[in-house]
Amino acid sequence: MGLTFEVLSTPGHLISLAARGFARLSEARLKPLGFGVGHLPVLIALQDGRANTQRDLARFAKIEQPSMAQMLVRMERDGLIRRTPDADDGRSSRIALTRIARARLPDACAALFEGNGEALSGFTDAEAAQLVGLLTRVIANLDRIASADESSPGS
């Protein structure tokens, strides 16, 4: 079996497989509600009032501005968000959820919680909490590494 086979047992590879599995499950459950898994950070940020501009949404979702712009165009087309001119900055707009999106969001969250519960079948509550804690630490480490790489000379 050798070193190359062991790569398939690394945390990075296993997390990637789990992420793709969760994404497939989530997409299948969100599609009937008119949402995609990529919409979730935007929906949550707008619902909770954490962001209401494209720049802030991109930062919150940890995606590049052009990708966020494309997603917002699709979400507006699908009737999930509406934009209004920013009274303080004529170059930008404020973004808000539509009534349709607000009405569907609780069902979307319930579907995702159900899927997560099924995926963690057989885990105790303590094990599930531990997994969340460990993944949160991995993500923080990856963010720290990415920040250091971006600020290093030659980047």
Side-chain angles (χ1 to χ4, degrees), residues 28-148:
R29 294 187 179 197
L30 292 174
K31 190 174 183 176
L33 297 167
F35 297 140
V37 73
H39 296 155
L40 288 176
V42 173
L43 297 167
I44 299 302
L46 293 172
Q47 173 77 18
D48 291 351
R50 295 178 191 204
N52 66 1
T53 66
Q54 179 179 311
R55 185 187 74 230
D56 291 342
L57 289 167
R59 189 175 299 132
F60 180 82
K62 298 182 180 181
I63 65 172
E64 298 296 323
Q65 284 261 14
S67 298
M68 179 57 69
Q70 291 173 347
M71 184 187 321
L72 293 175
V73 165
R74 289 190 304 272
M75 291 178 76
E76 188 172 29
R77 176 201 66 207
D78 294 341
L80 302 175
I81 63 164
R82 69 179 178 287
R83 300 179 204 233
T84 56
D86 186 334
D88 298 327
D89 180 357
R91 297 169 299 163
S92 68
S93 59
R94 298 287 172 184
I95 302 164
L97 293 178
T98 63
R99 204 175 15 198
I100 292 168
R102 286 186 186 282
R104 293 178 187 165
L105 192 53
D107 290 339
C109 290
L112 293 172
F113 283 126
E114 181 181 358
N116 275 269
E118 291 171 8
L120 296 178
S121 176
F123 284 62
T124 65
D125 289 345
E127 289 170 330
Q130 182 179 23
L131 178 60
V132 169
L134 293 171
L135 290 172
T136 300
R137 287 173 46 200
V138 168
I139 292 165
N141 287 345
L142 292 169
D143 287 346
R144 182 180 39 77
I145 293 165
S147 293

Side-chain angles (χ1 to χ4, degrees), residues 1-10:
M1 295 275 168
L3 187 61
T4 53
F5 185 77
E6 291 175 20
V7 167
L8 301 179
S9 296
T10 61

